[in-house]
Amino acid sequence: MPPIILDLQRAIRYAFSDGTPWRSGCVALSVGKILNLINQGDAIFGAVPINWTKIFLTYLVPYAVSTYGAVSYRMSRPLT
């Protein structure tokens, strides 16, 4: 198998193992709440309609960044 495929399989395995989804979810919830208050405060408090796409993306981005950080760290470590 080409090395790129092996690296991709390893990255996917790391993204879904050893508590990475849980930790990334916790980061997404805490950071997402703050960012939603900043970006959608008017909508949340009833002044304008809520943009659900923005709310979804505001939680998705911190999740993806946290997962990327965890996976890239583990990819940089030698295989044992």
Side-chain angles (χ1 to χ4, degrees):
M1 221 180 260
I4 188 94
I5 298 296
L6 295 174
D7 285 345
L8 183 59
Q9 288 176 339
R10 198 167 125 218
I12 291 169
R13 185 173 63 249
Y14 290 160
F16 292 101
S17 66
D18 295 332
T20 300
W22 172 256
R23 285 189 305 276
S24 295
C26 290
V27 168
L29 286 175
S30 59
V31 173
K33 285 179 192 177
I34 294 166
L35 291 176
N36 269 317
L37 284 173
I38 293 168
N39 296 329
Q40 296 264 28
D42 295 344
I44 292 170
F45 296 115
V48 294
I50 292 177
N51 185 331
W52 292 103
T53 303
K54 284 184 179 180
I55 287 182
F56 172 73
L57 290 174
T58 302
Y59 285 100
L60 179 65
V61 170
Y63 182 88
V65 170
S66 180
T67 300
Y68 172 78
V71 170
S72 64
Y73 170 74
R74 292 197 58 202
M75 295 290 289
S76 71
R77 310 292 296 161
L79 289 172
T80 55

